[in-house]
Amino acid sequence: MEHIETVKWNVLERFSKVARFSRDTAANILEHPLARPIVPHLPPGVNNLLQSDPTVEEYDAGRLYLAKWALNVAEQAEDAARLEHPDQLLSNNWRKRWSDTELKPWEEETEVGTFEVLSGDSTLPPLHASRSEPLNAEKWFSFFDDAEGRLRVEISEVREAVFRGGVEDDIRIEVWKFFLGIYPWDSSRVERDSILEAKKKEYLDLKREWWDDPEVQSSSNYKEQKCRIEKDVIRTDRTISFFAVEDIPHPDPLSSASSTLTNNHLESMKAILMTYNFYKKDLGYVQGMSDLLAPVYVVMRDEITAFWAFVGFMNRVESNFYRDQVSMRKQLLTLDHLIQFMDPRLYKHLQKTESLNLFFCFRWILIWFKREFKWDDVLYLWEVLWTDYLSPQFHLFFALAILDKHRDIIMENLNQFDEILKYVNELSMNIRLDETLLRAETLFLQFQRMVNAIDRKRLENTKETSEGVRRRKGKDPAISDLLRELLNNESSQF
């Protein structure tokens, strides 16, 4: 049974990466010998893809069309409101839904009185989320003293500045070196220069483990990993100028690459990933890592620095690539709990449509929304997430924010697992980043307030000092350990 569960995850992971899902695509995946034993265990919506007739497919396609049309109408209304109030990135209707006085639907779902305390407490400040201009060079350098180049402000001040607006292009390379652990926050200018020299020597020593060793290069493991890296790199971000042009002969005429030409940046990417394969022998190279490396490499513009920045990024997300997928399951389960806690109605709809596996969120979490946004937006989003300003797991609130934006359309128009999968996958490159970040921050603040209110209510009940607040029948909503971990603000920073 454990083997079946593992294969089920692997198969559904492949579903999560499909941008335009069809009956033929489903058939090709599910007819694979490894997939056949788990077909009975898949959501009915997946099996329905194999057995659906064209008439039903046309009807389903019509529902998807209506869902997209509804989204377009809603966004046009929001754009019109924004023209009238240019300082508002989120509509008043959405703000109203998450205001303190709009918690009755949640209360009705759970049948608890916790939010009678919230809505009745006039001392609570309004929830406030904000975005700002990107951090510029003048402000960045003002964080450091002139004498030694040491940070002279609290790290939290830097984190907030980057969280609020990201950073401008001309300082991104330096800022990322701190957030990705190349530079310690308490280092001086001289110490940072020494660190770079030491990192250069260490990288070259690591690279020699495979670069100068014919015996290693003749091993089957090396050849397999080299082939895997080659195939992934030549398909990664080839529209970016760094990787688009092929202007030198391929160094390996026997390579599995489709072209006999390459470029220096592609070869550096391959070298970084192969070196990482030897640096992390217990993990090695796993498909998807090239997606995370490409933006880091382009920002660093240097093979050695890019390697160590990539190591810093992987220290944060390497468990996403573990073969047992425990970390991915935990993150999806946390998101499951978060949806249930924050939006029971959406949760019930996902439950009804056999969609609580949340595999349409798998790709988001695995490679940190890399394929959901345009290049510049990915750079901006990643540096915001690296700050850990509100939570080291803020990416889950970001995922929740995307679902929250589309909740009404999903609940009103999409009634099958495959419909939701198609709809969510086709949001790629059509998600408004600043609006989603605002929504994610507001959701976090609301979550924090709800947890505090429930804890406070339980404490009052324990002490039998309810102070006149009427308690309704029913249980308080459960706050799982996974949910409480979201409020643990211990940074993943170095």
Side-chain angles (χ1 to χ4, degrees):
M1 191 64 192
E2 183 177 348
H3 173 69
I4 288 177
E5 183 67 16
T6 300
V7 175
K8 173 183 172 182
W9 269 76
N10 291 335
V11 171
L12 288 175
E13 175 190 354
R14 294 180 68 181
F15 286 155
S16 72
K17 298 176 182 178
V18 176
R20 295 186 178 276
F21 203 51
S22 68
R23 181 171 56 180
D24 290 340
T25 305
N28 288 337
I29 295 175
L30 293 179
E31 287 175 1
H32 191 282
L34 287 176
R36 289 173 189 157
I38 58 91
V39 169
H41 303 277
L42 294 174
V46 176
N47 286 307
N48 289 342
L49 287 172
L50 295 176
Q51 302 167 4
S52 58
D53 62 58
T55 304
V56 174
E57 285 185 354
E58 289 174 9
Y59 179 69
D60 291 347
R63 281 209 297 263
L64 280 172
Y65 175 82
L66 287 173
K68 292 176 183 177
W69 175 81
L71 173 63
N72 187 48
V73 169
E75 290 192 333
Q76 285 180 5
E78 288 177 2
D79 289 341
R82 208 169 283 128
L83 286 174
E84 190 173 342
H85 303 284
D87 58 328
Q88 281 186 194
L89 281 174
L90 290 175
S91 69
N92 282 328
N93 285 339
W94 186 82
R95 289 182 183 277
K96 187 167 182 275
R97 184 164 75 81
W98 280 104
S99 70
D100 292 335
T101 58
E102 286 294 310
L103 290 163
K104 193 170 184 292
W106 194 95
E107 183 181 326
E108 286 179 346
E109 293 284 347
T110 58
E111 297 187 350
V112 298
T114 298
F115 296 108
E116 294 177 24
V117 179
L118 273 179
S119 58
D121 189 346
S122 61
T123 65
L124 285 172
L127 297 173
H128 180 67
S130 64
R131 308 303 302 159
S132 65
E133 293 298 313
L135 181 65
N136 60 33
E138 180 181 2
K139 183 67 173 176
W140 168 252
F141 290 116
S142 74
F143 291 150
F144 299 85
D145 67 48
D146 295 330
E148 296 186 70
R150 291 187 185 275
L151 190 68
R152 63 182 185 84
V153 299
E154 294 294 327
I155 297 175
S156 59
E157 183 177 341
V158 184
R159 291 166 62 193
E160 181 175 12
V162 177
F163 175 83
R164 294 285 171 213
V167 302
E168 291 189 345
D169 287 340
D170 58 340
I171 59 169
R172 180 166 275 136
I173 183 172
E174 289 304 311
V175 177
W176 282 26
K177 286 175 185 175
F178 282 90
F179 279 100
L180 291 175
I182 294 177
Y183 295 154
W185 285 102
D186 60 354
S187 61
S188 68
R189 190 181 299 111
V190 172
E191 289 168 341
R192 293 194 285 274
D193 289 342
S194 297
I195 287 169
L196 286 182
E197 283 301 312
K199 293 289 187 185
K200 179 178 180 180
K201 181 181 183 303
E202 187 177 357
Y203 175 75
L204 294 176
D205 288 342
L206 286 166
K207 188 174 180 180
R208 288 191 191 98
E209 289 188 26
W210 62 272
W211 184 264
D212 293 335
D213 193 328
E215 184 177 346
V216 169
Q217 294 185 8
S218 65
S219 69
S220 59
N221 180 63
Y222 172 85
K223 290 178 180 178
E224 287 173 8
Q225 288 294 66
K226 183 185 178 200
C227 179
R228 188 174 290 117
I229 290 169
E230 176 88 40
K231 286 180 178 178
D232 287 352
V233 167
I234 63 176
R235 294 180 299 190
T236 302
D237 295 314
R238 294 304 300 274
T239 59
I240 303 302
S241 59
F242 260 59
F243 309 123
V245 178
E246 296 180 337
D247 54 4
I248 62 172
H250 198 290
D252 182 2
L254 301 178
S255 166
S256 59
S258 56
S259 173
T260 58
L261 296 175
T262 183
N263 74 36
N264 287 323
H265 298 305
L266 292 173
E267 295 309 302
S268 289
M269 286 263 291
K270 296 172 193 175
I272 290 169
L273 292 170
M274 182 58 78
T275 304
Y276 185 80
N277 181 69
F278 281 81
Y279 174 75
K280 278 282 186 181
K281 292 184 174 69
D282 55 335
L283 177 61
Y285 174 77
V286 181
Q287 186 176 19
M289 291 182 181
S290 61
D291 270 298
L292 300 185
L293 172 61
V296 172
Y297 176 81
V298 171
V299 169
M300 295 300 158
R301 300 174 180 268
D302 167 74
E303 181 179 319
I304 296 172
T305 314
F307 173 81
W308 291 111
F310 177 67
V311 167
F313 193 2
M314 288 301 299
N315 285 343
R316 177 190 287 268
V317 300
E318 70 174 52
S319 61
N320 286 4
F321 297 92
Y322 290 169
R323 285 164 179 80
D324 62 12
Q325 297 183 324
V326 168
S327 176
M328 287 299 298
R329 297 185 201 200
K330 179 181 178 182
Q331 290 175 82
L332 288 173
L333 182 60
T334 303
L335 184 56
D336 172 291
H337 288 198
L338 191 57
I339 296 170
Q340 185 176 22
F341 185 78
M342 297 291 288
D343 196 339
R345 291 180 177 177
L346 175 60
Y347 185 86
K348 285 184 177 180
H349 183 76
L350 295 177
Q351 190 175 47
K352 183 180 71 174
T353 57
E354 299 284 344
S355 302
L356 280 180
N357 48 55
L358 299 180
F359 278 101
F360 44 83
C361 303
F362 191 99
R363 184 177 69 192
W364 296 354
I365 295 171
L366 180 70
I367 53 175
W368 271 37
F369 307 93
K370 165 72 185 308
R371 297 184 188 174
E372 317 313 316
F373 293 94
K374 295 177 182 177
W375 181 266
D376 288 342
D377 281 349
V378 169
L379 305 185
Y380 173 24
L381 174 60
W382 283 4
E383 60 204 17
V384 168
L385 295 177
W386 289 334
T387 66
D388 295 339
Y389 176 64
L390 294 176
S391 169
Q393 299 189 71
F394 189 70
H395 64 291
L396 297 182
F397 288 92
F398 190 82
L400 178 64
I402 298 174
L403 296 177
D404 184 80
K405 160 82 174 180
H406 299 271
R407 70 185 292 274
D408 292 340
I409 291 167
I410 290 172
M411 291 191 296
E412 292 169 10
N413 298 280
L414 306 176
N415 299 314
Q416 302 291 337
F417 164 78
D418 55 298
E419 291 175 351
I420 296 175
L421 179 66
K422 289 179 190 178
Y423 179 83
V424 173
N425 277 336
E426 290 178 9
L427 293 176
S428 177
M429 303 299 163
N430 292 297
I431 303 171
R432 298 177 176 185
L433 181 52
D434 265 318
E435 175 188 313
T436 308
L437 285 168
L438 272 177
R439 192 180 293 263
E441 183 181 359
T442 305
L443 286 166
F444 175 86
L445 295 174
Q446 184 66 42
F447 170 76
Q448 187 178 52
R449 180 170 289 183
M450 290 163 73
V451 170
N452 289 340
I454 292 167
D455 286 346
R456 186 172 63 249
K457 183 72 177 293
R458 284 175 177 163
L459 183 61
E460 290 172 355
N461 291 332
T462 300
K463 294 179 177 180
E464 298 183 345
T465 55
S466 61
E467 299 179 356
V469 177
R470 181 173 57 88
R471 178 173 174 79
R472 292 171 57 182
K473 293 180 180 180
K475 297 180 179 179
D476 287 344
I479 305 174
S480 66
D481 290 341
L482 290 176
L483 289 179
R484 291 195 181 278
E485 285 178 19
L486 296 173
L487 295 176
N488 180 358
N489 201 22
E490 274 189 29
S491 175
S492 303
Q493 306 261 329
F494 303 86

